[in-house]
Amino acid sequence: MLTDKHRTRQVVRKATKPLLSIPQRLKPNRPTKAPATSIHRCLLISEILCLILEFIRQFDESPESELKWDRASGRRTLASLARTCRTLSAPALDALWMRLDSLDPLIKVLPRRMWAKKHYPFVVRMFMGEKQWATFRKYAERVRFVRGPCWRVSATIQHNVIAALARYPKASFPLLPNLTELVWSELKMSNLIDPSVSLIKYFAGPGVTTVSLFLICWPNHVSSELAVLADLPELCPNVTAFTAFFPRSSYNDHSREIGEIVRRWPHLRVLRSCALSQTVMETLTSRRTLDTLSIELNNSSTAVYVGQLPPHVQTWSLGGNSAALCLHYLATIEGSPTHFHLRIGADDSATGDIETLVSVLPILLDKTRLCTLTIELTSSYWSTPASDTFSLSPSLLSSLSSFPSLRELDVSTFCAAEMDDWAYEAWISGLTSLTSLKTGVADVSKAKPVASVRAVLAVLKACRELETLWIVFDGSVTPPSGDVGVDENGKQPGETEDGDGERREDEDKDKDEWAVTNHHITHIRVGHSPIGEDEKGLEALARCLRAAMPRLEKIRADRYPSESDTRWRRVQEMLVMGR
């Protein structure tokens, strides 16, 4: 029998017990605290994110990249980032589509039926709808640089696809509205049959400031293609940089066609083309906008400019099939550039012609203004490295040392094997302002150098501000012991005298026992420099280089022979371990 107390407790217990429990999944969603994002907060700053994406984009273009066999790893990384999250999608797509090496990616974003080989090209037009146009426009607006035409898509299909895009009612020209740099090339063999030059009109617009044409067939194109080339100044009136490349083996004279084009660009700053007529050159040089001029001479070059280049042309470049041809063109020109690049066709040149050509440079160029000088040996028929080389003779060295204001000197394609330690010391004494020196590392003969590490020390001692050093020397020769003589008090460098008159060595003797210390150089290139096998010899070489260049971190040598490259890597490891 239940008492009143028990009944009361029972009633209360029943009243507090819920009659029906609602499952958790059926309860209304209540506002809760948003989960923390997994992305680092610094990536939410657009400036930092753009810097990172730009570094990834430029990775494939870096000449120092170790993955030279794989030039798509950067693009694959950007594509992966674009699929990661919404925050990264748009910036990663902008970086991914900023530069296109061909038109293929733009064509292949469209449905496969429009460009696949198994379909007939004439069916393309009927399938161009609003969805296809929106897809194309989504990526086309991001392109800033493009190299045309297509590489993998046939010429017939690319003509039909681009024509279908152009005929779409909502289409606007140019098809790439934000394009700033346009490169058109005929280097592919199929382009000789169908150059596709007429397609340029769909991409050239007011926003394009840089145009580069690598045309092999010009001026042998059909009339419709020649008309497009002639209308370039109207299609893209704001061009400031123009390049027209032709093979050196060509016998066609393009001076008239190029002259008609470039004279209609009033704001042209950079011009790289064939030799132009006297009238066109006078028109260009009279404008104070032109600051970079590059002339390429071929077998048909007859135009010669007689006069003096104005001071505002600061960068000047000249290339030709042979040293005699370059000398003929230079004989009537004087100038005062700050940068000069001379490309000499080695196949059709003789030693005497090259020495004569280099000897006139101090006469034709302002010796007090020239800061950068590059003399390169190339093929006489194509724009490729030369298959032959010439030695840096005393005559050449004497001419090069006539420019006391030089800051950068590049003669890396010449053979420096015959230069010994004393030749380097005598030559470099007249070029004490150098910050960059490149000699012999690109010598195709790969002749064994006579100079030793003493030549490196001589260069570092003369050029105290040197930041870049490319030099070949015999690394198997034992480095000097550091005995560089005594001073007027009979002491060696690094030694001090205590109160009792006894000598003691300074704690940092290793840094100055060779009487030179360069704190600017972190990387050097030694090319095909030989190196010994003895471990003690490698240690002595590493100790010498570390003492002369305390910040040296990397030594880059030719990969072949592999044994030599391996030993140079061993010296590089010793440099790091010795710190």
Side-chain angles (χ1 to χ4, degrees):
M1 180 176 180
L2 299 174
T3 61
D4 294 340
K5 182 178 180 180
H6 291 157
R7 289 193 185 96
T8 304
R9 288 181 178 179
Q10 188 175 6
V11 171
V12 172
R13 188 180 298 113
K14 289 182 179 180
T16 57
K17 184 178 180 179
L19 300 177
L20 180 64
S21 60
I22 302 176
Q24 186 69 22
R25 58 186 177 84
L26 297 179
K27 290 182 179 181
N29 294 329
R30 297 179 179 178
T32 57
K33 184 178 180 181
T37 178
S38 59
I39 192 172
H40 198 284
R41 288 183 295 177
C42 71
L43 296 179
L44 301 178
I45 303 175
S46 59
E47 291 81 0
I48 296 178
L49 180 59
C50 289
L51 286 175
I52 296 174
L53 295 176
E54 179 66 13
F55 175 81
I56 298 173
R57 185 190 67 80
Q58 293 180 356
F59 179 80
D60 295 338
E61 307 169 7
S62 174
E64 302 295 332
S65 175
E66 297 292 339
L67 302 177
K68 291 186 177 180
W69 51 271
D70 184 7
R71 288 300 191 183
S73 57
R75 290 193 293 271
R76 286 197 296 266
T77 302
L78 290 174
S80 299
L81 290 174
R83 303 186 189 100
T84 301
C85 63
R86 294 182 180 180
T87 303
L88 300 179
S89 179
L93 285 176
D94 291 339
L96 179 62
W97 287 87
M98 181 181 296
R99 293 180 64 90
L100 295 182
D101 292 333
S102 70
L103 292 174
D104 296 74
L106 281 173
I107 299 296
K108 293 185 177 181
V109 297
L110 300 172
R112 186 176 179 82
R113 64 174 181 268
M114 302 180 65
W115 50 266
K117 294 182 179 179
K118 63 180 181 180
H119 297 286
Y120 292 99
F122 62 81
V123 304
V124 171
R125 182 178 176 183
M126 66 181 64
F127 287 102
M128 179 58 64
E130 183 175 357
K131 182 178 179 180
Q132 288 79 23
W133 170 255
T135 301
F136 174 83
R137 197 69 173 180
K138 172 185 176 181
Y139 300 104
E141 292 177 345
R142 306 176 189 271
V143 179
R144 302 293 187 273
F145 167 93
V146 70
R147 186 187 305 271
C150 292
W151 188 258
R152 300 184 182 276
V153 178
S154 66
T156 304
I157 292 181
Q158 72 171 335
H159 272 280
N160 284 274
V161 172
I162 294 176
L165 289 168
R167 293 191 186 99
Y168 184 69
K170 296 183 180 180
S172 58
F173 296 99
L175 292 177
L176 307 179
N178 297 316
L179 187 68
T180 60
E181 184 172 355
L182 174 63
V183 179
W184 208 263
S185 172
E186 290 179 347
L187 299 182
K188 188 181 177 183
M189 294 304 298
S190 61
N191 298 140
L192 302 180
I193 303 174
D194 191 351
S196 304
V197 174
S198 59
L199 297 178
I200 294 179
K201 63 184 177 183
Y202 296 114
F203 305 102
V208 176
T209 58
T210 303
V211 175
S212 300
L213 302 177
F214 296 85
L215 306 181
I216 299 177
C217 301
W218 197 10
N220 299 322
H221 295 90
V222 297
S223 57
S224 60
E225 294 172 339
L226 290 176
V228 172
L229 295 175
D231 290 341
L232 275 179
E234 283 71 32
L235 294 172
C236 38
N238 300 317
V239 169
T240 59
F242 178 68
T243 299
F245 168 81
F246 308 98
R248 289 183 176 179
S249 57
S250 174
Y251 283 88
N252 296 322
D253 187 6
H254 316 87
S255 58
R256 184 177 63 84
E257 291 83 0
I258 297 296
E260 289 296 321
I261 293 175
V262 298
R263 68 179 182 84
R264 288 186 287 170
W265 278 320
H267 305 294
L268 197 64
R269 296 183 55 214
V270 180
L271 174 61
R272 302 180 180 94
S273 73
C274 58
L276 302 176
S277 64
Q278 180 77 17
T279 304
V280 175
M281 288 292 293
E282 291 177 351
T283 301
L284 294 176
T285 54
S286 64
R287 303 170 182 168
R288 300 192 62 84
T289 56
L290 187 68
D291 58 21
T292 301
L293 176 63
S294 178
I295 300 297
E296 192 71 28
L297 308 173
N298 58 16
N299 292 321
S300 64
S301 300
T302 57
V304 176
Y305 174 64
V306 180
Q308 184 170 2
L309 293 178
H312 58 76
V313 181
Q314 299 183 9
T315 303
W316 187 20
S317 178
L318 178 66
N321 295 36
S322 63
L325 187 62
C326 295
L327 180 61
H328 174 71
Y329 189 84
L330 275 177
T332 57
I333 299 181
E334 293 184 0
S336 54
T338 57
H339 303 77
F340 183 68
H341 188 176
L342 182 61
R343 300 179 300 278
I344 309 172
D347 302 305
D348 294 341
S349 299
T351 303
D353 295 334
I354 292 182
E355 292 180 353
T356 304
L357 174 61
V358 177
S359 65
V360 301
L361 295 182
I363 303 174
L364 302 176
L365 305 179
D366 190 346
K367 294 184 290 186
T368 61
R369 267 198 86 183
L370 190 64
C371 297
T372 303
L373 175 60
T374 301
I375 304 179
E376 180 183 3
L377 297 176
T378 64
S379 171
S380 295
Y381 314 108
W382 301 97
S383 293
T384 57
S387 58
D388 196 5
T389 187
F390 294 88
S391 297
L392 286 172
S393 62
S395 175
L396 285 175
L397 298 176
S398 176
S399 301
L400 295 174
S401 61
S402 301
F403 296 94
S405 60
L406 271 185
R407 304 282 291 173
E408 300 179 12
L409 176 61
D410 185 352
V411 286
S412 56
T413 55
F414 283 80
C415 177
E418 299 179 1
M419 294 181 61
D420 58 15
D421 299 337
W422 307 115
Y424 268 103
E425 185 175 356
W427 170 56
I428 207 66
S429 60
L431 300 171
T432 56
S433 300
L434 285 180
T435 59
S436 174
L437 176 63
K438 303 176 182 180
T439 60
V441 295
D443 173 21
V444 294
S445 69
K446 297 187 181 297
K448 183 178 180 180
V450 179
S452 66
V453 71
R454 289 180 181 270
V456 178
L457 300 177
V459 171
L460 296 177
K461 185 176 181 179
C463 308
R464 295 289 183 173
E465 301 299 323
L466 202 65
E467 300 174 359
T468 302
L469 180 60
W470 296 7
I471 188 171
V472 290
F473 61 94
D474 190 352
S476 62
V477 178
T478 305
S481 60
D483 184 8
V484 292
V486 295
D487 60 13
E488 59 183 1
N489 296 323
K491 296 184 299 181
Q492 292 183 354
E495 292 184 356
T496 58
E497 196 171 284
D498 58 18
D500 298 330
E502 296 181 356
R503 298 175 182 176
R504 61 181 180 83
E505 294 186 352
D506 188 80
E507 296 178 355
D508 296 329
K509 177 183 176 181
D510 286 347
K511 295 184 179 181
D512 57 22
E513 64 177 341
W514 283 278
V516 57
T517 304
N518 182 294
H519 293 280
H520 304 291
I521 298 177
T522 58
H523 297 67
I524 64 171
R525 290 187 62 173
V526 295
H528 57 277
S529 299
I531 188 171
E533 302 179 6
D534 182 42
E535 188 73 10
K536 292 184 178 180
L538 299 182
E539 292 178 357
L541 179 60
R543 179 170 174 267
C544 178
L545 295 177
R546 182 175 61 249
M549 294 171 282
R551 296 186 59 198
L552 184 61
E553 299 176 354
K554 186 173 183 180
I555 302 176
R556 184 175 177 183
D558 291 347
R559 295 193 174 184
Y560 301 100
S562 58
E563 298 82 4
S564 178
D565 181 43
T566 303
R567 296 188 201 113
W568 279 113
R569 290 179 182 271
R570 176 60 180 153
V571 173
Q572 177 178 307
E573 294 174 358
M574 293 178 179
L575 286 173
V576 179
M577 295 171 57
R579 289 191 174 91

